[in-house]
Amino acid sequence: MPSLEMSGNADLASSVLSPVTLFLHADMVGRLVMILLLCASIGSWALIFGQFFRSSAANRASRNFEKAYSKAESMGELERFYDRYFGSNDPSARIFLAGMQTAKSAGKVIDHEGERDRLSLSLEDAVAAAVEDMSSPLSSLATIGSVSPFVGLFGTVWGIMHSFSQIAAGGNTAMAIVGPGIAEALFSTALGLFAAIPASIAYNRMSHTIGRFESRLTRFSDRIYITLSRAMDARH
């Protein structure tokens, strides 16, 4: 009999502490906090997986483009390369296209130094645009990682206040009465951490990956600058 009673109490405790039960027993404010944190967690994971596939595709496309670019030796080959990749959205291709457009528009201008400055600025702008486009999810992840713990803390404080108000109204301090309310409050903290921890880790990792990607694009833009500046000098 004691073992059956203990088993029944354990089953009751597990059912009371289940996430669904904690959500259903919470008040409207507590439910709203839980829903917001759950949506933040789902959104952060969607951003993480989306950025992973996007970053992998961008790196793969850039590697392929740079390999093809290394085979172009003359300005005529670069012209054909330009026509082939015109309108491409690959990061390295966009940098090359920006540089080629500047070089093609230079014409027969005698101001070599001014041409080089315009070429350098166009390449820098193309690199910055590619990095900015790749970094777009980071602000959302940073917001989720920094705000979610405080939203969870708010839910915890609200849940504890709600439990204390029930104690004051009923005058019963038994754990069976106040336990579910405390569990609901702590569940909000757990949801906040569940949303914030992956977002913060992903933000740091993505920042490092994007920094390496920017360095790679910068090195490639330097190669383009050297090639096109020599071609423009040879044209005069």
Side-chain angles (χ1 to χ4, degrees), residues 24-41:
L24 293 177
H25 285 179
D27 62 357
M28 290 301 298
V29 175
R31 290 183 185 181
L32 180 60
V33 169
M34 294 178 188
I35 291 173
L36 288 175
L37 292 174
L38 183 60
C39 291
S41 178

Side-chain angles (χ1 to χ4, degrees), residues 5 13 15 27 52 70 74 89 96 146 155 161 179 182 193 202 215 222:
E5 184 177 353
S15 64
D27 62 357
F52 172 78
S70 63
S74 65
N89 287 323
F96 168 75
S146 60
M161 290 172 58
I182 301 298
L193 295 176
S215 299
D222 291 340

Side-chain angles (χ1 to χ4, degrees), residues 9 16 21 33 43 50 73-74 90-91 101 116 118 120 156 162 166 209 230:
N9 292 336
V16 170
T21 304
V33 169
E73 299 179 353
S74 65
D90 295 342
Q101 288 173 354
R116 292 191 182 93
R118 286 190 290 272
S120 177
T156 300
H162 185 65
Q166 288 181 331
T209 302
R230 288 176 178 174

Side-chain angles (χ1 to χ4, degrees), residues 126-154:
V127 171
V131 173
E132 182 179 356
D133 183 59
M134 187 66 66
S135 304
S136 56
L138 292 186
S139 60
S140 298
L141 286 175
T143 301
I144 293 173
S146 60
V147 173
S148 293
F150 294 102
V151 176
L153 181 60
F154 170 77

